[in-house]
Amino acid sequence: MKVEDILLDLVAIPSVSQIANEPVIGYAEKHLAGWKIVRYPYRDAAGVEKINILATTKPGTAELAFVCHTDTVPYNQEWSEAVRPVIRGGKLYGRGSCDVKGFLACVLSATAKVDVARLAKPLAIVLTADEEIGCVGAKFLARKRVLRARHMIIGEPTGLRPVCAGKGYALAEIVVRGKEAHSAFPARGRSAIFDAARVVTALERVAKKLAARKNRAFDPPFTTLNVGMIQGGTAKNIVAGECRITVEWRPVPGQAGDWAAELIREALAGLRVDAVLDVKRLDPAFAPSETRDLATLVESLTGRSAATVSFGTEAAHLSGLASEAIVFGPGDMTVAHKSGEFVPVKELHECVGYLGELIERLCA
Ligand SMILES: [Zn+2]
């Protein structure tokens, strides 16, 4: 089956994180005849069953493991091609075509072309659930230590460039409390919005401190911090009683993810306002592996030099199960997560060729 036909099938199966991913898993399993497959199910926060799988050609440390998530971000109902994918002008359009069913289609196509029983060394495929809502499936598998691999390739759109390191991700909310009053008598209350403005200014200073600590492997070369949302007050004529600030930061490897949190707490303590930091998520960075055999091999196959990424991936959680891990896949992350997401068909074919070559070189 041609890789683009597999991808057309996969995109046509809706698999936003909120719903069961079993249909995608079931589809992949049908393509993996002759593999030993173990399902690792769990229930998500809403009670929906989610399934991760580990497929292996034989027992033992996997010489090569492909990892791919099965969920996608939601799509706008007005985007008619989201789950009715089409190929137009050499691009395959649809939700997940780029992030990251494109890579999954390449894995299924490449592995279908090899006689797995003939492989001397174990090859593995790991499919995960709920990557887009916090790498839930990957964390579950990492805790269980479901496999050991020498080389691991985690699929994400990198334009077929090997990626050896990535930033982490942290999300927090700051709740600023004041005291409500009639706006004609402001002295009887305390404006949470005025206080929040001081907090935001302090956050800007924290961002500057973070930016001063450079890691040249990244673009931008430091831990970025963003105040993405601010919400407060109830009416124009009420002194605001509460204001909430949503802040995220993306720590570079080698820097404790909670260093920014410490800086924020220190800054808040110096303000004399009623503001509390609540860290909701703290995903580690994807630190570069000690060896770079796999990265070098992929560099030589693709002719593209290794890079780093500023978005979070499952590599941060799963790279500990492998001696060396890279992130790699067709498509461009900047077209993902929006209507009109696509992957170039040419890159799918190129990727199938690379994956086939890697299987031959590492496992045959
Ligand atoms: Zn992804």
Side-chain angles (χ1 to χ4, degrees), residues 15 17 19-29 37-44 48-54 68-71 126-131 136-138 140-141 314:
S15 62
S17 311
I19 62 174
N21 69 331
E22 201 282 333
V24 175
I25 295 287
Y27 181 88
E29 284 174 341
I37 298 174
V38 182
R39 285 185 169 202
Y40 293 92
Y42 67 93
R43 293 211 173 262
D44 70 11
V48 180
E49 186 183 61
K50 298 294 173 60
I51 298 165
N52 304 286
I53 63 167
L54 168 64
C68 192
H69 66 84
T70 55
D71 61 322
V126 178
L127 301 184
T128 65
D130 292 338
E131 188 269 351
V136 185
F140 179 83
L141 295 178
E314 292 175 315

Coordinates of all heavy atoms in Angstrom, one line a residue, residues 15 17 19-29 37-44 48-54 68-71 126-131 136-138 140-141 314:
S15 N -9.2 11.4 15.6 CA -8.6 10.9 16.8 C -8.1 12.1 17.6 O -7.0 12.1 18.1 CB -7.4 10.0 16.4 OG -6.4 10.6 15.7
S17 N -7.7 14.2 20.9 CA -7.3 13.7 22.2 C -8.5 13.3 23.1 O -8.4 12.4 23.9 CB -6.4 14.6 22.9 OG -5.3 15.0 22.1
I19 N -11.3 11.9 22.3 CA -12.0 10.6 22.1 C -11.1 9.4 22.1 O -9.9 9.6 22.2 CB -12.8 10.7 20.7 CG1 -11.8 10.9 19.5 CG2 -13.8 11.9 20.7 CD1 -12.4 10.8 18.2
A20 N -11.7 8.2 22.0 CA -10.9 7.0 22.1 C -10.0 6.9 20.9 O -10.4 7.3 19.8 CB -11.9 5.8 22.1
N21 N -8.8 6.4 21.1 CA -7.8 6.3 20.0 C -7.8 4.9 19.4 O -7.0 4.6 18.6 CB -6.4 6.7 20.4 CG -5.8 5.8 21.4 OD1 -6.5 5.1 22.2 ND2 -4.5 5.7 21.4
E22 N -8.7 4.0 19.9 CA -8.7 2.6 19.5 C -8.7 2.4 18.0 O -8.0 1.6 17.4 CB -9.8 1.8 20.2 CG -9.6 0.3 20.3 CD -9.9 -0.4 19.0 OE1 -10.7 0.1 18.2 OE2 -9.3 -1.5 18.8
P23 N -9.6 3.2 17.3 CA -9.7 3.0 15.8 C -8.3 3.2 15.1 O -8.0 2.4 14.2 CB -10.7 4.1 15.4 CG -11.6 4.3 16.6 CD -10.6 4.2 17.8
V24 N -7.5 4.1 15.6 CA -6.2 4.3 15.0 C -5.3 3.2 15.3 O -4.6 2.6 14.5 CB -5.5 5.7 15.4 CG1 -4.1 5.8 14.8 CG2 -6.4 6.8 14.9
I25 N -5.3 2.8 16.6 CA -4.5 1.6 17.1 C -4.9 0.4 16.3 O -4.0 -0.4 15.8 CB -4.7 1.4 18.6 CG1 -4.2 2.6 19.4 CG2 -4.1 0.1 19.0 CD1 -2.7 2.7 19.5
G26 N -6.2 0.1 16.2 CA -6.7 -1.1 15.5 C -6.2 -1.1 14.0 O -5.8 -2.1 13.5
Y27 N -6.2 0.1 13.4 CA -5.8 0.2 12.0 C -4.3 -0.1 11.9 O -3.9 -0.9 11.0 CB -6.0 1.7 11.5 CG -5.6 1.9 10.0 CD1 -6.5 1.6 9.0 CD2 -4.3 2.3 9.7 CE1 -6.1 1.8 7.7 CE2 -3.9 2.5 8.4 CZ -4.8 2.2 7.4 OH -4.4 2.3 6.1
A28 N -3.5 0.4 12.8 CA -2.1 0.2 12.8 C -1.8 -1.3 13.0 O -0.9 -1.9 12.3 CB -1.3 1.0 13.8
E29 N -2.5 -1.9 14.0 CA -2.3 -3.3 14.3 C -2.5 -4.2 13.0 O -1.8 -5.2 12.8 CB -3.2 -3.8 15.4 CG -2.7 -3.2 16.8 CD -3.6 -3.5 17.9 OE1 -4.8 -3.8 17.7 OE2 -3.2 -3.5 19.1
I37 N 2.4 -7.9 19.7 CA 1.8 -6.6 20.1 C 1.3 -6.7 21.5 O 0.5 -7.6 21.8 CB 0.7 -6.2 19.1 CG1 1.3 -6.0 17.7 CG2 0.1 -4.9 19.6 CD1 0.3 -5.7 16.6
V38 N 1.7 -5.8 22.3 CA 1.1 -5.7 23.7 C 0.4 -4.4 23.8 O 1.0 -3.3 23.5 CB 2.2 -5.8 24.8 CG1 1.6 -5.8 26.2 CG2 3.0 -7.1 24.6
R39 N -0.8 -4.4 24.3 CA -1.6 -3.2 24.5 C -1.4 -2.7 26.0 O -1.4 -3.5 26.9 CB -3.1 -3.4 24.3 CG -3.4 -3.5 22.8 CD -4.9 -3.5 22.6 NE -5.3 -3.4 21.2 CZ -6.5 -3.0 20.8 NH1 -7.5 -2.7 21.7 NH2 -6.8 -2.9 19.5
Y40 N -1.2 -1.4 26.1 CA -1.1 -0.8 27.5 C -2.2 0.2 27.6 O -2.0 1.4 27.4 CB 0.2 -0.1 27.7 CG 1.4 -1.1 27.7 CD1 2.1 -1.5 26.6 CD2 1.7 -1.7 28.9 CE1 3.1 -2.4 26.6 CE2 2.8 -2.7 29.0 CZ 3.5 -3.0 27.8 OH 4.5 -3.9 27.8
P41 N -3.4 -0.2 28.0 CA -4.6 0.7 28.1 C -4.6 1.4 29.4 O -4.0 1.0 30.4 CB -5.8 -0.2 28.0 CG -5.3 -1.5 28.5 CD -3.8 -1.6 28.3
Y42 N -5.2 2.6 29.5 CA -5.5 3.3 30.7 C -6.7 4.1 30.5 O -7.2 4.3 29.3 CB -4.3 4.2 31.1 CG -4.0 5.3 30.2 CD1 -4.6 6.6 30.4 CD2 -3.2 5.2 29.1 CE1 -4.3 7.7 29.6 CE2 -3.0 6.2 28.2 CZ -3.5 7.5 28.5 OH -3.3 8.5 27.6
R43 N -7.3 4.6 31.5 CA -8.5 5.5 31.4 C -8.0 7.0 31.6 O -7.2 7.3 32.5 CB -9.6 5.2 32.4 CG -10.2 3.8 32.1 CD -11.6 3.7 32.5 NE -12.1 2.4 32.0 CZ -12.8 2.2 30.8 NH1 -13.1 3.3 30.1 NH2 -13.1 1.0 30.4
D44 N -8.5 7.9 30.7 CA -8.0 9.2 30.8 C -8.9 9.9 31.9 O -9.7 9.3 32.6 CB -8.1 10.0 29.5 CG -9.5 10.2 29.0 OD1 -10.5 10.0 29.7 OD2 -9.6 10.6 27.8
V48 N -12.4 7.9 29.6 CA -12.3 7.3 28.2 C -11.1 6.4 28.1 O -10.0 6.8 28.6 CB -12.2 8.4 27.1 CG1 -12.1 7.8 25.7 CG2 -13.4 9.4 27.2
E49 N -11.3 5.2 27.6 CA -10.2 4.3 27.5 C -9.2 4.7 26.4 O -9.6 5.0 25.3 CB -10.6 2.8 27.2 CG -9.4 1.9 27.3 CD -9.8 0.4 26.9 OE1 -10.3 0.2 25.8 OE2 -9.6 -0.4 27.8
K50 N -7.9 4.8 26.7 CA -6.9 5.1 25.8 C -5.9 4.0 25.7 O -5.7 3.3 26.7 CB -6.2 6.4 26.2 CG -7.0 7.6 26.3 CD -7.6 8.1 24.9 CE -8.6 9.2 24.9 NZ -8.1 10.4 25.5
I51 N -5.4 3.7 24.5 CA -4.5 2.6 24.3 C -3.2 3.0 23.8 O -3.1 3.7 22.8 CB -5.2 1.6 23.3 CG1 -6.5 1.1 23.9 CG2 -4.3 0.4 23.0 CD1 -7.4 0.4 23.0
N52 N -2.1 2.5 24.4 CA -0.8 2.6 23.9 C -0.4 1.2 23.4 O -0.9 0.2 24.0 CB 0.2 3.0 25.0 CG -0.2 4.3 25.7 OD1 0.0 5.3 25.2 ND2 -0.7 4.1 26.9
I53 N 0.4 1.0 22.5 CA 0.9 -0.3 22.1 C 2.4 -0.3 22.0 O 3.1 0.7 21.6 CB 0.3 -0.9 20.9 CG1 0.6 -0.1 19.6 CG2 -1.2 -1.1 21.0 CD1 0.3 -0.9 18.3
L54 N 3.0 -1.5 22.3 CA 4.3 -1.8 22.0 C 4.3 -3.0 21.0 O 3.8 -4.1 21.4 CB 5.1 -2.2 23.3 CG 6.5 -2.8 23.0 CD1 7.5 -1.8 22.4 CD2 7.1 -3.2 24.4
C68 N 5.4 7.0 18.0 CA 4.5 7.9 17.3 C 3.2 8.1 18.2 O 2.7 7.1 18.6 CB 4.2 7.4 16.0 SG 3.4 8.6 14.9
H69 N 2.8 9.3 18.3 CA 1.5 9.5 19.0 C 0.3 9.4 18.0 O 0.5 9.6 16.8 CB 1.5 10.8 19.8 CG 1.5 12.1 19.1 ND1 0.4 12.6 18.5 CD2 2.5 12.9 18.8 CE1 0.7 13.8 18.0 NE2 2.0 14.0 18.1
T70 N -0.8 9.0 18.6 CA -2.0 8.6 17.7 C -3.1 9.7 17.8 O -4.0 9.7 17.0 CB -2.6 7.3 18.2 OG1 -2.9 7.4 19.6 CG2 -1.7 6.1 17.9
D71 N -2.9 10.7 18.7 CA -4.0 11.7 18.8 C -3.6 13.0 18.0 O -2.5 13.2 17.6 CB -4.2 12.1 20.3 CG -2.9 12.6 21.0 OD1 -1.8 12.2 20.7 OD2 -3.1 13.6 21.8
V126 N 6.3 1.9 19.0 CA 5.6 2.3 20.2 C 4.5 3.3 19.7 O 4.9 4.3 19.1 CB 6.5 2.9 21.3 CG1 5.6 3.4 22.5 CG2 7.6 2.0 21.7
L127 N 3.3 3.1 20.0 CA 2.2 4.1 19.6 C 1.6 4.5 20.9 O 1.3 3.7 21.8 CB 1.2 3.4 18.7 CG 1.7 2.9 17.4 CD1 0.5 2.4 16.5 CD2 2.5 3.9 16.6
T128 N 1.5 5.8 21.0 CA 1.0 6.4 22.3 C -0.3 7.2 22.1 O -0.7 7.6 21.0 CB 2.0 7.4 22.9 OG1 2.2 8.5 22.0 CG2 3.4 6.7 23.0
A129 N -0.9 7.4 23.3 CA -2.2 8.2 23.3 C -1.9 9.6 24.0 O -0.9 9.7 24.8 CB -3.3 7.5 24.1
D130 N -2.8 10.5 23.7 CA -2.8 11.8 24.5 C -1.5 12.6 24.6 O -1.2 13.2 25.6 CB -3.3 11.5 26.0 CG -4.7 11.0 26.0 OD1 -5.5 11.3 25.1 OD2 -5.1 10.4 27.0
E131 N -0.8 12.6 23.5 CA 0.5 13.4 23.5 C 0.1 14.9 23.5 O 0.7 15.7 24.2 CB 1.3 13.2 22.2 CG 2.6 13.8 22.1 CD 2.6 15.2 21.5 OE1 1.6 15.6 20.9 OE2 3.7 15.9 21.6
V136 N 0.5 12.2 28.0 CA 0.0 11.3 29.1 C 0.4 9.9 28.8 O 0.8 9.2 29.7 CB -1.6 11.5 29.2 CG1 -2.1 10.6 30.4 CG2 -2.0 12.9 29.4
G137 N 0.2 9.4 27.6 CA 0.5 8.1 27.2 C 2.0 7.8 27.4 O 2.4 6.8 27.9
A138 N 2.8 8.7 26.9 CA 4.3 8.5 27.0 C 4.7 8.5 28.4 O 5.6 7.6 28.8 CB 5.0 9.7 26.2
F140 N 3.0 7.5 30.9 CA 2.5 6.2 31.4 C 3.5 5.0 31.0 O 3.9 4.2 31.9 CB 1.1 5.9 30.8 CG 0.4 4.6 31.2 CD1 -0.3 4.5 32.4 CD2 0.5 3.5 30.3 CE1 -0.9 3.3 32.7 CE2 -0.2 2.4 30.7 CZ -0.9 2.3 31.9
L141 N 3.9 5.0 29.8 CA 4.8 4.0 29.3 C 6.2 4.2 29.9 O 6.9 3.2 30.2 CB 5.0 4.1 27.8 CG 3.7 3.7 27.0 CD1 3.9 3.9 25.5 CD2 3.2 2.3 27.3
E314 N 7.5 14.0 23.1 CA 7.6 12.9 23.9 C 9.0 12.4 24.3 O 9.2 11.7 25.2 CB 6.8 11.7 23.3 CG 5.3 11.9 23.2 CD 4.6 10.8 22.4 OE1 5.1 10.4 21.4 OE2 3.5 10.4 22.9

